[in-house]
Amino acid sequence: MASQEHWNLENGNVKPLSKEHRHGHGHSHGRTAHNMSSQSLRKKSDLSLVSKVRIGLLRQFLTNLQEVILGTKLSVLFPAIPLAIIAQIYSFGRPWVFGLSLLGLTPLAERVSFLTEQLAFSTGPTVGGLLNATCGNATELIIAIFALYQRKVDVVKYSLLGSIISNLLLVLGTSLFCGGIANMSQEQKYDRKQADVNSQLLLLALLCHMLPLMFKYTATADTLTATPTLQLSRASSIIMLIAYIAYLFFQLKTHRQFFETQVEDDDNNDDVSDEEEAVLSFWSAFAWLVGMTAVIALLSEYVVGTIEDASTSWGLSVSFISIILLPIVGNAAEHAGAVIFAFKNKLDITLGVALGSATQIAMFVVPLTVIVAWILGIEMNLDFNLLETGSLALSVLLTAFTLQDGTSHYMKGIALLLAYVVIGACFFVLKTPIVPNANILHLGAKTSSGTVFSA
């Protein structure tokens, strides 16, 4: 249809793309599974009222405001942002600040994905892909950095671990279950190549987590392992970052076809094809992205600063809030998109979201926080304790076994979901005390979870 023609912005002029050019450069704007997942929650803005404004600059600002703020189905949650700020300024109940800040982060995470895609229209495929890779988990990274700055190393470890586990078990499990139920009459298939690459990297990340943990139990005296464990963790983090850079090169350059989102020309694809035109200029998108990042930073500071008060008030342990609640709320938009595409039998996009996000956190965000902690003089290692590392190991292995045959059905989703419920129940009953200014290593007989082990 003419109304759904694909367009390309070149030198400020809108030009229609030929079908050959479109398919030859389907990834040309840095489009990834993350982008397509977030698009499922976007909605067209009615600009008829704004277009009547006669002052050009004001009209452009109102158009941008409508596209950015009202261009998502999650726009109803934006009022939580000023409410959280007001609650903080006027010293309302700190659990209220925590809850409102979490709600406010939900639409912001989706809007960052939208803005990076708008930037990718102007920057080309490689830079656009790098932008998506960097900003894909911006919320988790910013929360982790603020928690580090406040010396809450446990919160950093718990939140990042929870993000990996929730992507592997909750998001993927829900998607496979819902997709299996909705498409029970046909076999669901996906390309194993992308899943195999992500599984390999997740197993490498798991190895880097397991070695410091096992290293701790090889010595008889705790003092003999503290410094070597820290050194091993920092060296492993550098190796993981090198592996992630190689993964980006693999994904964006040499083997891009593994990660391209396959868009079929069918009637289920109208929500994707409608979004082929840039609606913001480069500098407008950049300014909005900076502003959104600043608001995410502010709300992240509120979340980190009030997590203990929320834990006390709600009767939930800090470990449960960090591992279960933070990841669910922070990535709700992305998660919902993954499930929607599973309903449409587009499992390659779903796997790109769930596995891609888990790989990015495990291979980029976690080692980066260790390096940042090193720069800040904070002793953060990759020893996430026995219970947490064991949960991560079984999650990665269960996911790898689930995805090994290239087909899916609802039983696979049920198995992943129930595994997530069991892990959630485990951390719900585990009452973990938070240690203020926890800039020391929890090594030796007593771990940060308060559990006593014999060396």
Side-chain angles (χ1 to χ4, degrees), residues 89-301:
I89 292 175
Y90 291 98
S91 301
F92 291 174
R94 292 177 69 78
W96 280 101
V97 177
F98 180 83
L100 289 171
S101 299
L102 272 187
L103 287 178
L105 286 171
T106 303
L108 289 174
E110 188 275 332
R111 291 287 85 186
V112 165
S113 174
F114 164 74
L115 292 169
T116 52
E117 185 182 348
Q118 294 300 309
L119 287 175
F121 273 94
S122 306
T123 58
T126 304
V127 178
L130 288 172
L131 277 172
N132 288 319
T134 305
C135 301
N137 293 98
T139 306
E140 290 93 338
L141 181 59
I142 293 173
I143 289 177
I145 290 176
F146 271 98
L148 269 183
Y149 184 74
Q150 296 186 24
R151 301 298 196 270
K152 296 178 180 178
V153 176
D154 288 336
V155 173
V156 177
K157 291 183 176 182
Y158 286 143
S159 63
L160 295 180
L161 176 82
S163 293
I164 300 172
I165 293 177
S166 70
N167 275 294
L168 294 180
L169 300 183
L170 177 63
V171 182
L172 195 56
T174 306
S175 300
L176 296 183
F177 174 71
C178 294
I181 294 295
N183 301 277
M184 203 174 296
S185 60
Q186 55 184 317
E187 186 178 35
Q188 288 194 292
K189 294 183 178 180
Y190 52 85
D191 187 2
R192 279 186 52 194
K193 297 185 185 73
Q194 178 184 353
D196 288 345
V197 172
N198 284 299
S199 297
Q200 275 190 317
L201 288 173
L202 287 169
L203 287 170
L204 174 59
L206 178 60
L207 174 66
C208 293
H209 283 282
M210 292 288 291
L211 288 177
L213 178 68
M214 294 185 289
F215 193 75
K216 183 172 70 175
Y217 296 109
T218 59
T220 54
D222 306 331
T223 54
L224 297 178
T225 60
T227 302
T229 300
L230 183 61
Q231 293 171 341
L232 175 63
S233 298
R234 289 170 175 172
S236 298
S237 296
I238 295 173
I239 298 296
M240 291 162 76
L241 288 176
I242 293 173
Y244 185 71
I245 293 171
Y247 167 66
L248 287 181
F249 187 76
F250 181 85
Q251 179 182 9
L252 300 175
K253 280 291 183 185
T254 61
H255 290 71
R256 180 181 294 176
Q257 68 275 12
F258 285 6
F259 299 90
E260 282 184 354
T261 50
Q262 301 300 319
V263 181
E264 298 87 356
D265 292 320
D266 57 22
D267 56 357
N268 290 329
N269 194 42
D270 51 358
D271 61 328
V272 176
S273 59
D274 286 346
E275 294 290 340
E276 287 289 335
E277 184 181 346
V279 295
L280 298 178
S281 68
F282 175 82
W283 290 110
S284 294
F286 181 78
W288 277 105
L289 183 61
V290 171
M292 290 281 182
T293 305
V295 177
I296 289 176
L298 179 66
L299 295 183
S300 299
E301 185 178 14

Side-chain angles (χ1 to χ4, degrees), residues 379-399:
E379 295 181 340
M380 176 180 171
N381 62 10
L382 290 175
D383 175 15
F384 280 33
N385 297 324
L386 189 60
L387 181 62
E388 290 84 349
T389 307
S391 300
L392 175 63
L394 293 174
S395 300
V396 171
L397 292 174
L398 182 58
T399 303

Side-chain angles (χ1 to χ4, degrees), residues 65-84:
L65 188 68
Q66 185 165 345
E67 289 287 356
V68 174
I69 303 299
L70 300 179
T72 173
K73 297 173 184 176
L74 298 172
S75 56
V76 292
L77 296 178
F78 273 115
I81 298 173
L83 289 176

